Amino acid sequence: MSQLKIYNTLAREKQVFVPMEAGKVGMYVCGMTVYDYCHVGHARMMMAFDVIYRWLMASGYDVKYVRNITDIDDKIIKRAVENGETLSSLVTRFTNYMDEDTQALGILPPNVVPRATEYVPQMLSIIEKLEEKGLAYKSEDGDVNYAVRGFEGYGKLSGKSLDDLRAGERVDVNTGKRDPLDFVLWKAAKESEPLEAKWDSKWGRGRPGWHIECSAMSCATLGERFDIHGGGQDLQFPHHENEIAQSEGAFGGTMVNYWIHNGFVRVDNEKMSKSLGNFFTIRDVLKKYDAEVVRFFILRAHYRSPLNYSDVHIDDAKGALTRLYTALADFDLGSEALDVDWNEEHAVRFREAMDDDFNTPLAVAELFDLASEANRTKSLATARQLKALAGVLGLLQRAPQDYLRGGGGTEAGEGGLDEVRIAGLIAERAAAKKARNFADADRIRTELTAAGIILEDKPDGTTNWRRA
């Protein structure tokens, strides 16, 4: 049996996964800052760790999966003020939108979803510990900053040298800081900011910096040391680097055993981001494509690889997913989840792929091999194995005809033909063929084809259909 290996960003290599406690895994993932709609880059991050979560559970682990919500932040305050609404109203609305998007994409909810504003006392406690150890200081402007050069291990996650980091590139130059590389732990309150954004502390009224939030939430939910910490590649520096400095500076020892980072989504060779204005929100994409098509599109790439977003690539994923569902269309598989036969050869290779740093492209290749076998042999056992294995990745769990007749996208029905009309035309075509009126039969097929309806005549004389 293969052993799970994970690419550990900290070690810069794949390592055999050994949890701190046998059979149990603690995993913390940096979640959304909820002030706007989630885009495809966010979907990619949440999907990456959804697959990791699913595979750990499929491997028999009892997983405690924590994914936080940042509900206090400069961008949140700015957007709420611009909208003339409270922070809590803005945060609640976009948290609900995020939950709708993730549910549509089949992303399982984490076990724990801490909100930053619920953990301000824990943040203040950590800052106080850092101050006692000489790693935090209050500046003249009222902010409390982390003294980066006081932490010997700074840069070990990102591989960056302090001497190579120039002020102004990655950090804000602030005259209140002793060193331009220092970062804020506690921001002094501003008169212009809403009351919701202010908490009392020994250093005066203010609010937490972004980095301290995750140190506090991860420690409170998983402990001072835990197995896996994840997030997007863009968080490796400075966010995760600063988390290590805070947590290890306050508590000593090692914060996390395995650091996992997913790759970017790219559009025209640039990272998808709100700042560049080249982003596509999840809900806009789902107006055009079936959610499972989008999920499949993301899973076809390895989580650490760049993912190139385009309609061409999603259309290709749609066609590929259609082939998998077509392989199941002639079987009665019921609606229940099926158990995987892990001794079967495709499942053995599937496990080997997933145990090799969650290699979904190779795992998906086994699904296509099973689909080909199901088409060739018409074996119910093969079809059941295909559905069961796909279910590990959150795929192929719908009735095949529901997917195929939905066309893999919400725009599929724009030809104006509903299922009743399609069935009527198919019946008319069958009658025309029986009467040997082949011109009418061909005309009806052409009409259906023009409306995006593909017909498949079966040997028993019946006709199946699906949307293109």
Side-chain angles (χ1 to χ4, degrees):
M1 186 172 173
S2 59
Q3 280 186 299
L4 174 60
K5 294 184 179 66
I6 295 175
Y7 184 87
N8 185 354
T9 308
L10 183 63
R12 293 166 180 75
E13 65 179 5
K14 291 180 190 176
Q15 296 179 325
V16 173
F17 177 65
V18 181
M20 291 170 58
E21 183 178 350
K24 294 187 175 183
V25 178
M27 179 169 74
Y28 183 94
V29 173
C30 290
M32 295 298 100
T33 301
V34 281
Y35 71 99
D36 206 341
Y37 296 109
C38 294
H39 59 59
V40 176
H42 300 140
R44 206 279 167 96
M45 179 277 292
M46 290 187 283
M47 191 79 73
F49 291 97
D50 177 67
V51 168
I52 290 170
Y53 179 35
R54 286 171 180 268
W55 184 245
L56 289 170
M57 290 192 294
S59 301
Y61 289 108
D62 177 11
V63 185
K64 185 176 183 181
Y65 175 23
V66 181
R67 191 184 72 220
N68 78 290
I69 288 174
T70 293
D71 60 349
I72 182 67
D73 167 90
D74 289 344
K75 294 174 182 175
I76 293 173
I77 295 171
K78 182 174 183 290
R79 182 65 57 86
V81 170
E82 288 173 350
N83 292 352
E85 66 180 318
T86 64
L87 273 63
S88 58
S89 171
L90 177 76
V91 163
T92 298
R93 186 167 74 258
F94 283 105
T95 299
N96 290 339
Y97 292 150
M98 176 189 71
D99 291 342
E100 290 170 3
D101 291 343
T102 54
Q103 184 177 11
L105 291 170
I107 294 170
L108 299 176
N111 305 116
V112 184
V113 185
R115 292 177 177 233
T117 54
E118 299 168 348
Y119 291 84
V120 173
Q122 290 88 335
M123 298 175 203
L124 292 171
S125 175
I126 294 175
I127 296 171
E128 193 161 355
K129 283 184 172 64
L130 293 171
E131 186 181 52
E132 290 168 359
K133 295 186 176 186
L135 291 171
Y137 61 91
K138 185 177 179 179
S139 61
E140 294 177 2
D141 59 8
D143 289 351
V144 180
N145 298 309
Y146 188 98
V148 166
R149 292 188 185 273
F151 180 68
E152 187 177 346
Y154 196 84
K156 62 184 177 182
L157 180 66
S158 59
K160 294 179 181 292
S161 162
L162 283 176
D163 294 331
D164 292 338
L165 289 170
R166 293 200 303 260
E169 288 187 343
R170 288 275 191 168
V171 293
D172 294 328
V173 176
N174 184 323
T175 54
K177 296 177 181 179
R178 296 174 182 170
D179 188 298
L181 300 180
D182 293 348
F183 59 88
V184 67
L185 298 166
W186 186 255
K187 295 188 175 186
K190 297 177 182 175
E191 285 293 328
S192 60
E193 293 177 338
L195 192 60
E196 280 183 284
K198 299 173 184 178
W199 286 263
D200 291 326
S201 80
K202 63 178 283 187
W203 304 282
R205 301 203 85 191
R207 60 186 170 88
W210 176 37
H211 310 301
I212 195 65
E213 295 177 0
C214 286
S215 283
M217 287 185 280
S218 64
C219 179
T221 55
L222 295 174
E224 295 175 7
R225 183 175 186 176
F226 52 95
D227 297 297
I228 295 172
H229 193 319
Q233 197 176 75
D234 54 331
L235 299 185
Q236 185 177 335
F237 183 87
H239 185 52
H240 289 164
E241 193 74 71
N242 291 350
E243 277 190 64
I244 291 174
Q246 293 164 161
S247 295
E248 296 187 1
F251 304 119
T254 299
M255 176 191 181
V256 174
N257 289 347
Y258 301 87
W259 286 88
I260 302 178
H261 295 92
N262 66 274
F264 294 132
V265 175
R266 305 187 73 82
V267 180
D268 295 330
N269 293 317
E270 283 191 308
K271 174 196 165 191
M272 180 183 289
S273 70
K274 286 190 173 72
S275 61
L276 292 173
N278 64 347
F279 67 96
F280 300 87
T281 68
I282 296 172
R283 52 192 48 218
D284 281 346
V285 173
L286 295 186
K287 290 175 184 175
K288 187 173 183 180
Y289 291 101
D290 181 273
E292 191 173 355
V293 169
V294 179
R295 181 179 182 88
F296 185 66
F297 159 69
I298 294 173
L299 295 186
R300 290 175 86 187
H302 190 275
Y303 79 91
R304 284 194 290 115
S305 301
L307 178 66
N308 294 311
Y309 178 88
S310 73
D311 284 356
V312 171
H313 288 121
I314 300 186
D315 284 334
D316 182 66
K318 174 181 168 182
L321 185 62
T322 296
R323 290 197 298 277
L324 292 177
Y325 265 115
T326 301
L328 299 178
D330 292 334
F331 298 94
D332 182 7
L333 300 174
S335 58
E336 300 298 318
L338 300 175
D339 292 329
V340 176
D341 175 4
W342 288 109
N343 294 315
E344 188 268 336
E345 59 177 333
H346 294 92
V348 169
R349 291 193 292 270
F350 184 100
R351 180 182 289 281
E352 289 172 351
M354 292 301 292
D355 276 347
D356 184 13
D357 194 31
F358 315 104
N359 194 326
T360 54
L362 286 182
V364 166
E366 291 304 318
L367 301 183
F368 281 100
D369 284 350
L370 275 167
S372 297
E373 188 174 317
N375 286 328
R376 184 179 70 255
T377 64
K378 306 302 179 187
S379 162
L380 177 60
T382 301
R384 288 175 62 86
Q385 181 76 334
L386 170 57
K387 180 180 177 181
L389 265 185
V392 175
L393 299 178
L395 298 169
L396 302 186
Q397 299 309 290
R398 295 143 75 179
Q401 293 302 342
D402 287 350
Y403 171 83
L404 295 170
R405 293 183 177 180
T410 53
E411 64 178 2
E414 289 178 1
L417 298 182
D418 60 20
E419 293 198 19
V420 173
R421 178 59 177 152
I422 293 167
L425 287 170
I426 290 173
E428 287 180 31
R429 177 173 175 265
K433 288 172 68 177
K434 188 174 182 180
R436 303 188 67 77
N437 187 348
F438 298 116
D440 267 4
D442 289 344
R443 175 185 56 76
I444 293 169
R445 177 187 276 274
T446 300
E447 180 182 343
L448 288 166
T449 301
I453 307 302
I454 296 173
L455 303 182
E456 182 185 0
D457 293 324
K458 310 296 288 185
D460 62 2
T462 60
T463 299
N464 286 346
W465 66 271
R466 64 177 175 86
R467 297 191 192 271

